[in-house]
Amino acid sequence: MNSSHSLTIHPAGGFFTELTVPGDKSISHRAAIIAGLANGPCRVRNYLPSEDCLNTLRAMKSLGVTCDYIDTNQYGPTEIIIHGTSMSLSSPSTVIDCGNSGTGMRLLAGILAGQNFESTLTGDASLCSRPMGRIIKPLEGMGAHLKATGDKEGCAPLIFQGRALAPIRYVMPVASAQVKSAVLLAGLFAHGTTSVEQPAITRDHTERMLTDFGIQLGYEENGISIEGGQTPEACNLDIPGDISSAAFWLVAAAANKNSSLTLRGVGLNPTRTAVLKVLLRMGAQIDQSVTTEGNGEPAGDLVAHASGLQGTEISGSEIPNLIDEIPILAVAGALAQGTMHIRDAAELRVKESDRIRTVVDNLQAMGANVTEHDDGMTIKGGAKLRGANLDCFGDHRIAMAFSVAGLFADGETSIRNTECIATSYPGFEDDFSKVCGSSR
C-alpha cells in the first residue's frame, strides 16, 4: 500500500490482529461545539484529529473559544481542554472554512443563526456543491437571516446576519440527524421551546451530549424539544472509537477466509449499530461486549470472524442510520453469495460524491454484477473481482471501501485521489498495513 495521494492494494490472505479505531467523527464535531458553549473548561479525550474535526475546532476558536492541547499524535490533538464561553461567542475576524465537512457546516449553522454578529461559512468545492436548503428552511422559520451565495442554489457559502431567534416546532420531511441537531442547537439561542419531529429515528449523539452537559430536553413519541436560554454545564468527555471506521475492518474480516479481527473501544450507540445488524443478517460472525455504559455513549469490543456472507435487502427506515456505511456494505454485497438490494438511499447522491454512481462505477470496473437505480443499486454477488485502476472522486468512504475490495481482487488495485481519507480516518494506511501487511 503506497501513499502520495494514491493507494495500491494487493490480494491478502487471512489475518489475525486487533485494532483501536480513531475517535468517533460525529461525536468529535459535537464535542468541539457544545464544549465551546459550556460555562467552563471541558476535557475531551480521544478527539478525532481528522481534517473535518480539526476544521470544526478551528471554527470554534475563531468564535472566541480557547483550547489547550494535552496530548497529540502525528495527525493532531487527541486530548484537549476546551474552555467554554458560557454561550457568549465572539464575532469571527475571517470567513469560517469547514473544509469538506457537511456535519461541521450544518451544526455550526445552528449556533451562528442566533448570534448578534455577522458570519460566513464556506468549504471546499465539494462541500460548496452540497445542498444546505434542509437547514436553511427551519432556521429561517426561527427568524434567522441567512443567504446561500454559492454557484448552485441553496449551497454555501452561507452568510448569517445576526438575528434573535423565535422557537419553532419543525416537522422534518426527511430524517436527518444533522438537521435535527442544527435546529436543537439553534433552539438554545431562541426564547421559548423549540421542538423537532423526525419521521424516523436518527443518530442521537447531540441529545446524549446535551444531556451530559446538563441541558434539559423533552421527549415525545417522535419528537425532541429544548428550552432556550440554558447554558451547558462544563464536563469531561471520553469519545469512543468510530463504528463507521470500524465497518471497513468488519467487512474485511467477515469476508476473508481464516481471519479474526478484534476492534477495541468502538462506540455501540444503538442509533449507529445498524451496520452490525446488516452484517449479522448477511451471516457475519461478530461478537459484541459492551465495556462502558451510562448517560453518555456506550462502547465496547467487537470480534469479527470469517464467515460466508449472503446478500440481503437494505431499505426503508434502516437507511438514515446506515448512510455512511452503505459503500462498504455494497462491497460486502459483491463479495457475498446471492443478491443485495439497496433502495430508498437517494441521499447518497448528495454526499461527498454521488455515492450511488461512484460505488456502481467502481464495482463494475472490478467485474461485479451491479445495476444502478435512482435510489440505490442491485448487486448480484459471487462474481470474482479483478484489480482495476479506480478513482475515489475525493470521497473518503469510497476510497476506504474500495481499499477493502482490493484485498479480494485478482491482481493489483490502484485508487487515485486518496488524500481525502484524512478527512475522517487519519492513520487508515497504517492500520491497513497492520491488518494486511502480508499483502504488500
Side-chain angles (χ1 to χ4, degrees), residues 217-282:
L217 301 175
Y219 292 92
E220 305 168 25
E221 184 177 352
N222 296 314
I224 306 106
S225 61
I226 189 167
E227 188 74 22
Q230 301 182 72
T231 299
E233 296 284 338
C235 68
N236 298 331
L237 296 172
D238 291 293
I239 298 175
D242 196 320
I243 195 167
S244 295
S245 297
F248 301 104
W249 310 120
L250 293 173
V251 170
N256 202 328
K257 294 178 181 178
N258 306 314
S259 292
S260 178
L261 179 68
T262 301
L263 296 164
R264 302 287 186 195
V266 179
L268 297 176
N269 181 314
T271 64
R272 290 287 296 283
T273 53
V275 64
L276 298 181
K277 294 174 184 175
V278 172
L279 287 173
L280 291 170
R281 200 161 75 220
M282 294 179 72

Coordinates of all heavy atoms in Angstrom, one line a residue, residues 217-282:
L217 N -33.9 18.3 28.1 CA -34.6 18.0 26.9 C -36.0 17.4 27.2 O -36.1 16.7 28.2 CB -33.8 17.1 25.9 CG -32.4 17.6 25.5 CD1 -31.7 16.5 24.7 CD2 -32.5 18.9 24.7
G218 N -36.9 17.6 26.3 CA -38.2 16.9 26.4 C -38.4 15.9 25.3 O -37.8 16.1 24.2
Y219 N -39.0 14.8 25.6 CA -39.2 13.8 24.6 C -40.7 13.5 24.4 O -41.4 13.3 25.4 CB -38.4 12.5 25.0 CG -36.9 12.7 24.9 CD1 -36.2 13.1 26.1 CD2 -36.2 12.5 23.8 CE1 -34.9 13.3 26.0 CE2 -34.9 12.6 23.7 CZ -34.2 13.0 24.9 OH -32.8 13.2 24.8
E220 N -41.1 13.4 23.1 CA -42.4 12.8 22.8 C -42.2 11.6 21.9 O -41.0 11.1 21.8 CB -43.2 13.9 22.0 CG -43.3 15.2 22.7 CD -43.9 16.3 21.8 OE1 -44.6 15.9 20.8 OE2 -43.6 17.5 22.0
E221 N -43.2 11.1 21.4 CA -43.1 9.8 20.6 C -42.1 9.9 19.5 O -41.2 9.1 19.4 CB -44.5 9.4 20.0 CG -44.4 8.1 19.3 CD -45.8 7.7 18.7 OE1 -46.8 8.4 19.0 OE2 -45.8 6.7 17.9
N222 N -42.1 10.9 18.7 CA -41.2 11.1 17.6 C -40.5 12.5 17.7 O -39.9 12.9 16.7 CB -41.9 11.0 16.2 CG -42.5 9.7 16.0 OD1 -41.9 8.7 16.2 ND2 -43.7 9.7 15.5
G223 N -40.6 13.1 18.8 CA -40.0 14.5 18.9 C -39.1 14.7 20.1 O -39.1 14.0 21.1
I224 N -38.3 15.7 19.9 CA -37.4 16.2 21.0 C -37.6 17.7 21.1 O -37.7 18.4 20.1 CB -35.9 15.9 20.6 CG1 -35.7 14.4 20.3 CG2 -35.0 16.3 21.8 CD1 -35.5 14.1 18.8
S225 N -37.6 18.2 22.3 CA -37.8 19.7 22.5 C -36.7 20.2 23.4 O -36.1 19.4 24.2 CB -39.1 20.0 23.1 OG -39.3 19.4 24.3
I226 N -36.4 21.5 23.2 CA -35.3 22.1 24.0 C -35.8 23.5 24.4 O -36.4 24.2 23.6 CB -34.0 22.1 23.3 CG1 -32.8 22.6 24.1 CG2 -34.1 23.0 22.0 CD1 -31.5 22.3 23.5
E227 N -35.5 23.9 25.6 CA -35.9 25.2 26.1 C -34.7 26.2 25.9 O -33.6 25.9 26.3 CB -36.3 25.2 27.6 CG -36.8 26.5 28.2 CD -38.3 26.7 27.7 OE1 -39.0 25.8 27.3 OE2 -38.7 27.9 27.7
G228 N -34.9 27.3 25.3 CA -33.9 28.2 25.0 C -33.4 28.9 26.3 O -34.0 28.9 27.4
G229 N -32.2 29.4 26.3 CA -31.6 30.1 27.4 C -30.8 29.3 28.4 O -30.2 29.8 29.3
Q230 N -30.7 28.0 28.2 CA -29.9 27.1 29.0 C -28.4 27.2 28.6 O -28.1 27.4 27.5 CB -30.4 25.7 28.9 CG -31.8 25.4 29.3 CD -32.1 23.9 29.2 OE1 -31.7 23.1 30.0 NE2 -32.9 23.5 28.1
T231 N -27.6 27.1 29.6 CA -26.1 27.1 29.4 C -25.6 25.7 29.7 O -25.8 25.2 30.8 CB -25.4 28.1 30.2 OG1 -25.9 29.4 29.9 CG2 -23.9 28.1 30.0
P232 N -24.8 25.1 28.8 CA -24.2 23.8 29.1 C -23.3 23.9 30.3 O -22.5 24.8 30.4 CB -23.5 23.4 27.8 CG -24.2 24.2 26.7 CD -24.6 25.5 27.4
E233 N -23.4 22.9 31.2 CA -22.5 22.8 32.4 C -21.3 22.1 32.0 O -21.3 21.0 31.4 CB -23.2 22.1 33.5 CG -24.5 22.8 34.1 CD -24.1 23.9 35.0 OE1 -23.0 23.9 35.5 OE2 -24.9 24.8 35.1
A234 N -20.1 22.7 32.2 CA -18.9 22.1 31.8 C -18.7 20.6 32.4 O -19.1 20.4 33.5 CB -17.7 22.9 32.3
C235 N -18.2 19.7 31.5 CA -18.0 18.4 32.0 C -16.9 17.8 31.1 O -16.4 18.4 30.2 CB -19.3 17.5 31.9 SG -19.8 17.2 30.2
N236 N -16.5 16.6 31.4 CA -15.4 15.9 30.7 C -16.1 14.8 29.8 O -17.1 14.2 30.2 CB -14.4 15.3 31.6 CG -13.7 16.3 32.4 OD1 -13.5 17.4 32.0 ND2 -13.3 15.9 33.6
L237 N -15.5 14.6 28.6 CA -16.0 13.6 27.7 C -14.9 12.6 27.2 O -13.8 13.0 27.0 CB -16.5 14.3 26.4 CG -17.7 15.3 26.6 CD1 -17.9 16.0 25.2 CD2 -18.9 14.6 27.0
D238 N -15.3 11.4 27.1 CA -14.5 10.3 26.5 C -15.2 9.9 25.3 O -16.3 9.3 25.3 CB -14.3 9.2 27.5 CG -13.4 9.5 28.7 OD1 -12.2 9.8 28.5 OD2 -13.9 9.5 29.8
I239 N -14.5 10.1 24.1 CA -15.1 9.8 22.8 C -14.7 8.4 22.4 O -13.6 8.0 22.4 CB -14.6 10.8 21.8 CG1 -15.1 12.2 22.1 CG2 -15.2 10.4 20.4 CD1 -14.6 13.3 21.2
P240 N -15.7 7.5 22.1 CA -15.4 6.1 21.7 C -14.9 6.1 20.3 O -15.0 7.1 19.6 CB -16.8 5.4 21.9 CG -17.8 6.5 21.6 CD -17.2 7.8 22.2
G241 N -14.4 4.9 19.9 CA -14.0 4.7 18.6 C -15.2 4.8 17.6 O -16.3 4.5 17.9
D242 N -14.9 5.1 16.3 CA -15.9 5.4 15.3 C -16.3 4.1 14.7 O -15.6 3.4 14.0 CB -15.4 6.3 14.3 CG -16.5 6.9 13.4 OD1 -17.4 6.2 13.1 OD2 -16.4 8.1 13.1
I243 N -17.6 3.7 14.9 CA -18.1 2.4 14.3 C -18.1 2.5 12.7 O -18.0 1.5 12.1 CB -19.5 2.0 14.8 CG1 -19.8 0.6 14.5 CG2 -20.6 3.0 14.3 CD1 -21.0 0.0 15.3
S244 N -18.3 3.7 12.2 CA -18.2 3.8 10.7 C -16.8 3.5 10.2 O -16.7 2.9 9.1 CB -18.6 5.2 10.3 OG -20.0 5.5 10.6
S245 N -15.8 3.8 11.0 CA -14.4 3.5 10.6 C -14.2 2.0 10.8 O -13.5 1.3 10.0 CB -13.4 4.3 11.4 OG -13.5 5.6 11.1
A246 N -14.8 1.4 11.9 CA -14.7 0.0 12.2 C -15.3 -0.8 11.1 O -14.9 -2.0 10.9 CB -15.3 -0.3 13.5
A247 N -16.4 -0.3 10.4 CA -17.1 -1.1 9.5 C -16.2 -1.7 8.3 O -16.4 -2.8 7.9 CB -18.2 -0.3 8.9
F248 N -15.2 -0.9 7.9 CA -14.3 -1.4 6.9 C -13.6 -2.7 7.3 O -13.5 -3.6 6.5 CB -13.3 -0.3 6.5 CG -14.0 1.0 6.0 CD1 -14.0 2.1 6.9 CD2 -14.5 1.1 4.8 CE1 -14.6 3.3 6.5 CE2 -15.1 2.2 4.4 CZ -15.2 3.3 5.2
W249 N -13.1 -2.7 8.5 CA -12.4 -3.8 9.0 C -13.3 -5.0 9.3 O -13.0 -6.2 9.1 CB -11.6 -3.5 10.3 CG -10.8 -2.2 10.1 CD1 -10.9 -1.1 10.8 CD2 -9.8 -2.0 9.2 NE1 -10.0 -0.2 10.4 CE2 -9.3 -0.7 9.3 CE3 -9.2 -2.8 8.1 CZ2 -8.3 -0.2 8.6 CZ3 -8.2 -2.3 7.4 CH2 -7.8 -1.0 7.6
L250 N -14.6 -4.7 9.7 CA -15.5 -5.8 10.0 C -15.8 -6.6 8.7 O -15.9 -7.8 8.7 CB -16.8 -5.2 10.5 CG -16.7 -4.6 12.0 CD1 -18.1 -3.9 12.3 CD2 -16.4 -5.7 13.0
V251 N -16.0 -5.8 7.6 CA -16.3 -6.5 6.3 C -15.0 -7.2 5.8 O -15.1 -8.4 5.3 CB -16.7 -5.4 5.3 CG1 -16.7 -6.0 3.9 CG2 -18.1 -4.9 5.6
A252 N -13.9 -6.6 6.0 CA -12.6 -7.3 5.6 C -12.4 -8.6 6.3 O -12.1 -9.6 5.7 CB -11.4 -6.4 5.8
A253 N -12.7 -8.7 7.6 CA -12.6 -9.9 8.3 C -13.7 -10.9 8.0 O -13.4 -12.1 7.9 CB -12.6 -9.6 9.8
A254 N -14.9 -10.4 7.9 CA -16.0 -11.3 7.7 C -16.0 -12.0 6.4 O -16.4 -13.2 6.2 CB -17.4 -10.6 7.8
A255 N -15.4 -11.3 5.4 CA -15.4 -11.9 4.0 C -14.1 -12.7 3.7 O -14.0 -13.3 2.6 CB -15.5 -10.8 3.0
N256 N -13.1 -12.6 4.6 CA -11.8 -13.2 4.4 C -11.7 -14.5 5.1 O -11.8 -14.6 6.3 CB -10.7 -12.2 4.9 CG -9.4 -12.5 4.2 OD1 -9.0 -13.6 3.9 ND2 -8.6 -11.4 4.1
K257 N -11.4 -15.6 4.3 CA -11.3 -16.9 4.9 C -10.2 -17.0 6.0 O -9.1 -16.4 5.8 CB -11.0 -18.0 3.8 CG -12.1 -18.1 2.8 CD -11.7 -19.1 1.8 CE -12.8 -19.3 0.7 NZ -12.4 -20.2 -0.4
N258 N -10.5 -17.7 7.1 CA -9.5 -17.9 8.1 C -9.0 -16.7 8.8 O -7.8 -16.5 9.0 CB -8.3 -18.7 7.6 CG -8.7 -20.0 6.9 OD1 -9.6 -20.7 7.4 ND2 -8.2 -20.3 5.7
S259 N -9.9 -15.7 9.0 CA -9.5 -14.4 9.6 C -10.3 -14.2 10.9 O -11.4 -14.7 11.1 CB -9.7 -13.3 8.7 OG -8.8 -13.4 7.6
S260 N -9.7 -13.4 11.8 CA -10.3 -13.0 13.0 C -9.7 -11.6 13.4 O -8.5 -11.4 13.4 CB -10.1 -14.0 14.2 OG -10.7 -13.5 15.3
L261 N -10.6 -10.7 13.7 CA -10.2 -9.3 13.9 C -10.9 -8.8 15.2 O -12.1 -8.9 15.3 CB -10.4 -8.4 12.7 CG -10.0 -6.9 12.9 CD1 -8.5 -6.8 12.9 CD2 -10.6 -6.1 11.7
T262 N -10.1 -8.2 16.1 CA -10.7 -7.6 17.3 C -10.6 -6.1 17.2 O -9.5 -5.6 16.9 CB -10.0 -8.1 18.6 OG1 -10.1 -9.5 18.7 CG2 -10.6 -7.5 19.8
L263 N -11.6 -5.4 17.5 CA -11.7 -4.0 17.5 C -12.0 -3.5 18.9 O -13.1 -3.8 19.4 CB -12.7 -3.4 16.5 CG -12.4 -3.8 15.0 CD1 -13.7 -3.6 14.2 CD2 -11.3 -3.0 14.5
R264 N -11.1 -2.7 19.5 CA -11.3 -2.3 20.9 C -11.9 -0.9 21.0 O -11.7 0.0 20.2 CB -9.9 -2.2 21.5 CG -9.1 -3.5 21.5 CD -9.7 -4.5 22.5 NE -8.9 -5.7 22.6 CZ -9.3 -6.8 23.1 NH1 -10.5 -6.9 23.6 NH2 -8.5 -7.9 23.2
G265 N -12.8 -0.7 22.0 CA -13.4 0.6 22.3 C -14.2 1.2 21.3 O -14.2 2.5 21.2
V266 N -15.0 0.5 20.6 CA -15.8 1.0 19.5 C -17.2 1.5 20.1 O -17.7 0.9 20.9 CB -16.1 -0.1 18.4 CG1 -17.0 0.5 17.3 CG2 -14.8 -0.6 17.8
G267 N -17.6 2.7 19.6 CA -18.9 3.2 20.0 C -20.0 2.3 19.6 O -20.1 1.8 18.4
L268 N -20.9 1.9 20.5 CA -22.0 1.0 20.3 C -23.4 1.7 20.5 O -24.3 1.0 21.0 CB -21.9 -0.3 21.1 CG -20.6 -1.1 20.8 CD1 -20.5 -2.3 21.7 CD2 -20.6 -1.6 19.3
N269 N -23.5 2.9 20.2 CA -24.7 3.7 20.3 C -25.8 2.9 19.5 O -25.5 2.7 18.3 CB -24.5 5.1 19.9 CG -25.7 6.0 19.9 OD1 -26.8 5.6 19.5 ND2 -25.6 7.2 20.4
P270 N -26.9 2.6 20.0 CA -27.9 1.9 19.3 C -28.4 2.5 18.0 O -28.8 1.9 17.0 CB -29.1 1.7 20.2 CG -28.5 1.9 21.6 CD -27.4 2.8 21.4
T271 N -28.2 3.9 17.9 CA -28.6 4.5 16.6 C -27.5 4.5 15.6 O -27.6 5.0 14.5 CB -29.0 6.0 16.9 OG1 -27.9 6.7 17.4 CG2 -30.1 6.1 17.9
R272 N -26.4 3.8 15.9 CA -25.3 3.7 15.0 C -24.9 2.2 14.6 O -24.1 2.0 13.8 CB -24.0 4.3 15.6 CG -24.1 5.9 15.7 CD -24.0 6.5 14.3 NE -22.7 6.3 13.7 CZ -21.5 6.9 14.0 NH1 -21.5 7.8 15.0 NH2 -20.4 6.6 13.4
T273 N -25.6 1.3 15.3 CA -25.2 -0.1 15.1 C -26.0 -0.9 14.0 O -25.9 -2.1 13.9 CB -25.3 -0.9 16.4 OG1 -26.6 -0.7 17.0 CG2 -24.3 -0.4 17.4
A274 N -26.7 -0.1 13.2 CA -27.4 -0.8 12.1 C -26.5 -1.5 11.2 O -26.9 -2.6 10.7 CB -28.2 0.3 11.3
V275 N -25.3 -1.1 11.1 CA -24.3 -1.8 10.2 C -24.0 -3.2 10.8 O -23.9 -4.2 10.0 CB -23.0 -1.0 10.0 CG1 -22.3 -0.8 11.4 CG2 -22.1 -1.6 9.0
L276 N -24.0 -3.3 12.1 CA -23.8 -4.6 12.7 C -25.0 -5.5 12.4 O -24.8 -6.7 12.1 CB -23.6 -4.5 14.2 CG -22.4 -3.7 14.7 CD1 -22.3 -3.7 16.2 CD2 -21.1 -4.3 14.1
K277 N -26.2 -5.0 12.5 CA -27.4 -5.8 12.2 C -27.4 -6.3 10.8 O -27.8 -7.4 10.5 CB -28.6 -4.9 12.5 CG -28.8 -4.6 14.0 CD -30.0 -3.6 14.2 CE -30.1 -3.2 15.7 NZ -31.1 -2.2 15.9
V278 N -27.0 -5.4 9.9 CA -27.0 -5.9 8.5 C -25.9 -7.0 8.2 O -26.2 -8.0 7.6 CB -26.7 -4.7 7.5 CG1 -26.5 -5.1 6.1 CG2 -27.9 -3.7 7.6
L279 N -24.7 -6.8 8.8 CA -23.7 -7.8 8.6 C -24.1 -9.1 9.3 O -23.9 -10.2 8.7 CB -22.4 -7.3 9.2 CG -21.7 -6.2 8.3 CD1 -20.5 -5.6 9.1 CD2 -21.3 -6.7 7.0
L280 N -24.7 -9.1 10.5 CA -25.2 -10.3 11.1 C -26.3 -11.0 10.2 O -26.3 -12.2 10.1 CB -25.7 -10.0 12.5 CG -24.7 -9.6 13.5 CD1 -25.4 -9.0 14.8 CD2 -23.8 -10.7 13.9
R281 N -27.1 -10.1 9.6 CA -28.2 -10.7 8.8 C -27.5 -11.4 7.5 O -28.1 -12.3 7.0 CB -29.1 -9.5 8.3 CG -30.4 -9.9 7.8 CD -31.3 -8.7 7.9 NE -31.1 -7.7 6.9 CZ -31.1 -6.3 7.1 NH1 -31.4 -5.9 8.3 NH2 -30.9 -5.5 6.1
M282 N -26.4 -10.9 7.1 CA -25.7 -11.4 6.0 C -24.9 -12.7 6.3 O -24.3 -13.3 5.5 CB -24.7 -10.4 5.4 CG -25.4 -9.2 4.8 SD -24.3 -8.0 4.1 CE -23.7 -8.9 2.6

